[in-house]
Amino acid sequence: MAMNVLAVHRDTVGTEQAAGNSLAYSVGVLCWLLSAGVYIAAKWVSTEMPPWALCFWRVLIAFAILMPIVRRHFGDMVALMWARPLELLLIGGVGLAICQGMIFVGLEHADATTAGIIIALIPIITMILARLMLAEPMGRWQVIGSILAFLGIVVIIIKGSPAALMRLDFNPGELWIVAGAFCFSLYTVLLRRAKFDMNRLALLVLLLGAAVLTALPFYLFELFSDERSTLNGSGLIALAYVAIPGGAVMYYLFNRSIEALGAARAGVLLYIQTIFIAVLAYLILGEQLQRYHLEGAALIIAGLLLIILLKPKIKAEAATA
C-alpha cells in the first residue's frame, strides 16, 4: 500500500514537473517569436523611421513599462547605480542600445532573413570572447566549429559568389548586423564578468535605462540631420510593436524563461528565432530563401553542433580534480 502511495506521489510530481517545463519552454518560444517580429517590423518601416529613433523609443517605452514592476527593488537599484554607474552605462549601452541600433541600421540595406541567420552567430562570438576575456575553456572542436560558422557568414555576405569576395563587394547592411551581433556577445560576456548581485528583472530595467541614455545622442543626431520619423499608420504600428510586445513583454518573458529553465537552456532557444524570422519574412515581407542562405546556414549549424555536442575536456578534468 505504501509503495502504491509513493508511486502515485512520484507520478504526480513527475507530471507537475513536466507541465512546468512545458510551460517554461512555451514562454521561451513565445519570447523569441516576439523578438523575431522586431526584425520584421524594423525592416517594414526602414524607409519611414530612422534606426536610432526606433532604437531610442523602443528602450525608453520598455523601460517605462517595466519600471513599476520592479518597484520593490528600487532601494537595491539606487544603491547599485551609485556604486557602479559606469559599468551599468557601458554594459546596458553596448548590449541594449548600440547593438540594436546597428541591427536597425543594417536592416535598411539587408533583408530580415539574412539578419536572422547572422544573429545565430551570437553564441559562437560569445564563446570566443569568453575565452579571451574570462579565460573560459575552448577545446579543439569549439575552434573548428567557430571556423565553420565564420565561413557560413562569409558565404552569406558574399552571396555565395567568390568573385564578390575578390572585389570586396559586400552589402554594408550585413556588416552592420555582424557588428550588432558582436556587441550583443560583448554585452553577454561583460554582464557575466560584472556579476551584479541583484534581482534579474530589476537589473534589466537599470540596463534599459543605460540604453536610453546611450541611444539619446544618436537619436538627437538623426533629428539634427533632418532624418525625422514618418509616424503614419505603419510607423506607429511598428513602433508600438517593437516597444511593447517586442520590447517590454519580450524582455519580461525572457527573464521568466531564464528563471524557469536556467540561462543555458533558455539561451539555446535563441536559434528558434532564426526560423521565426525566415517564416515571418516570407509571409509578411515576401522575402525568399536563396541558395546562399541555405549554404551559409548549413555551415553555421554544423559549427554550432560541434560546439554544443563536443564540450571541451578541460571542464570534465577540472570537475574531477
Side-chain angles (χ1 to χ4, degrees):
M1 181 68 178
M3 292 183 65
N4 289 337
V5 172
L6 287 172
V8 170
H9 177 71
R10 284 197 300 269
D11 291 344
T12 302
V13 171
T15 302
E16 290 175 351
Q17 289 176 342
N21 283 336
S22 297
L23 178 60
Y25 277 110
S26 298
V27 168
V29 169
L30 177 58
C31 158
W32 291 115
L33 174 60
L34 294 176
S35 180
V38 172
Y39 292 80
I40 307 305
K43 181 62 181 178
W44 186 38
V45 293
S46 60
T47 58
E48 302 174 14
M49 182 172 291
W52 289 103
L54 191 61
C55 175
F56 172 76
W57 288 108
R58 183 192 188 205
V59 292
L60 178 61
I61 295 172
F63 172 79
I65 291 172
L66 293 175
M67 177 64 87
I69 300 175
V70 297
R71 59 186 179 276
R72 294 180 303 156
H73 303 281
F74 279 178
D76 293 337
M77 293 167 70
V78 171
L80 184 59
M81 285 172 58
W82 279 109
R84 305 168 72 178
L86 293 180
E87 280 184 271
L88 288 170
L89 185 62
L90 172 65
I91 295 172
V94 167
L96 302 180
I98 293 177
C99 164
Q100 291 183 30
M102 285 181 166
I103 291 172
F104 293 161
V105 170
L107 285 169
E108 291 186 311
H109 309 283
D111 58 69
T113 302
T114 299
I117 297 173
I118 292 173
I119 290 301
L121 267 184
I122 286 175
I124 297 172
I125 301 173
T126 302
M127 180 190 66
I128 295 170
L129 290 177
R131 172 59 181 168
L132 296 175
M133 299 174 63
L134 305 179
E136 291 188 0
M138 185 173 173
R140 178 179 58 187
W141 290 110
Q142 280 64 47
V143 174
I144 295 172
S146 300
I147 293 171
L148 281 177
F150 174 76
L151 291 175
I153 291 302
V154 171
V155 167
I156 291 171
I157 290 176
I158 66 174
K159 295 181 170 50
S161 170
L165 181 60
M166 299 301 294
R167 297 192 307 268
L168 298 179
D169 183 15
F170 306 138
N171 181 332
E174 292 163 2
L175 299 179
W176 277 107
I177 294 166
V178 171
F182 176 85
C183 284
F184 192 83
S185 297
L186 179 61
Y187 158 78
T188 302
V189 174
L190 290 175
L191 192 58
R192 194 183 302 172
R193 187 175 69 174
K195 296 181 180 177
F196 294 119
D197 185 17
M198 173 175 283
N199 173 269
R200 195 182 299 273
L201 188 59
L203 176 60
L204 174 61
V205 172
L206 281 179
L207 296 174
L208 281 169
V212 172
L213 295 176
T214 305
L216 179 59
F218 294 96
Y219 173 45
L220 293 177
F221 179 77
E222 282 182 343
L223 292 178
F224 288 129
S225 302
D226 207 29
E227 293 186 41
R228 299 180 184 274
S229 306
T230 307
L231 285 179
N232 54 18
S234 299
L236 287 172
I237 291 171
L239 178 57
Y241 179 84
V242 301
I244 303 174
V249 176
M250 186 276 291
Y251 288 132
Y252 179 77
L253 292 178
F254 182 60
N255 186 74
R256 291 298 300 271
S257 70
I258 289 178
E259 290 176 352
L261 298 172
R265 286 195 293 171
V268 167
L269 294 176
L270 165 70
Y271 305 123
I272 297 176
Q273 178 183 239
T274 298
I275 300 172
F276 285 147
I277 291 174
V279 172
L280 291 174
Y282 172 76
L283 295 175
I284 298 173
L285 303 176
E287 293 183 3
Q288 301 288 333
L289 272 174
Q290 305 297 328
R291 181 176 177 179
Y292 61 84
H293 284 137
L294 300 176
E295 292 170 346
L299 287 170
I300 293 172
I301 291 170
L304 287 170
L305 289 176
L306 288 177
I307 290 168
I308 294 170
L309 299 179
L310 301 175
K311 302 286 186 183
K313 293 183 179 179
I314 300 172
K315 287 187 177 179
E317 291 169 0
T320 57

